[in-house]
Amino acid sequence: MKKFGLLLAGGIAAVILLSTIGPLVGLAVSLVLLYFIFKQFVKADSTWAKVGLGIIGFVVLMASIHNTPAIIGIAAAYVLYLVYKKWNGTKSTVIKEESDPFANFEKQWNEMKHY
């Protein structure tokens, strides 16, 4: 039953992720453009160049805000990642006592105190 729930959640997340591919690509492109426009804005010396780059940057910022459904796609990708992690049974790494240097230090310290 657990596998069926994971399969259902993964299927729904995959469909949502596939339906938001367009906004994801649009958001990525607009954020890259915004980054380069900002770098040119900082380098610009003249006031008119800064005004022009500011206007272009504002337009690109509005385009990236327009792609807010991409946030749902990012959340769906994260859910898909969690389903994949649970399906394969990978667990978070737990430090074993023999490999933990602090636990080993405590054990050796207690042995030294007895001598």
Side-chain angles (χ1 to χ4, degrees):
M1 192 67 176
K2 182 178 178 183
K3 293 280 185 175
F4 177 72
L6 288 174
L7 183 66
L8 186 66
I12 292 171
V15 168
I16 291 172
L17 181 64
L18 287 175
S19 68
T20 58
I21 290 280
L24 280 170
V25 171
L27 182 66
V29 168
S30 62
L31 288 179
V32 167
L33 282 173
L34 197 59
Y35 172 74
F36 286 120
I37 289 169
F38 178 74
K39 287 192 60 105
Q40 290 299 318
F41 179 83
V42 171
K43 288 181 188 177
D45 291 330
S46 72
T47 306
W48 289 109
K50 287 194 179 224
V51 168
L53 286 170
I55 291 170
I56 294 171
F58 179 74
V59 169
V60 173
L61 180 67
M62 290 299 114
S64 50
I65 290 173
H66 178 70
N67 289 314
T68 53
I71 296 171
I72 296 170
I74 293 169
Y78 181 69
V79 168
L80 201 56
Y81 168 72
L82 290 177
V83 166
Y84 173 76
K85 199 166 128 180
K86 290 282 186 180
W87 189 278
N88 288 336
T90 53
K91 298 176 183 167
S92 62
T93 57
V94 177
I95 300 174
K96 295 181 181 176
E97 187 173 324
E98 56 268 356
S99 67
D100 185 9
F102 296 109
N104 195 16
F105 173 78
E106 290 292 327
K107 189 168 94 176
Q108 288 179 353
W109 183 257
N110 287 333
E111 289 175 4
M112 288 176 60
K113 284 176 37 176
H114 293 296
Y115 288 117

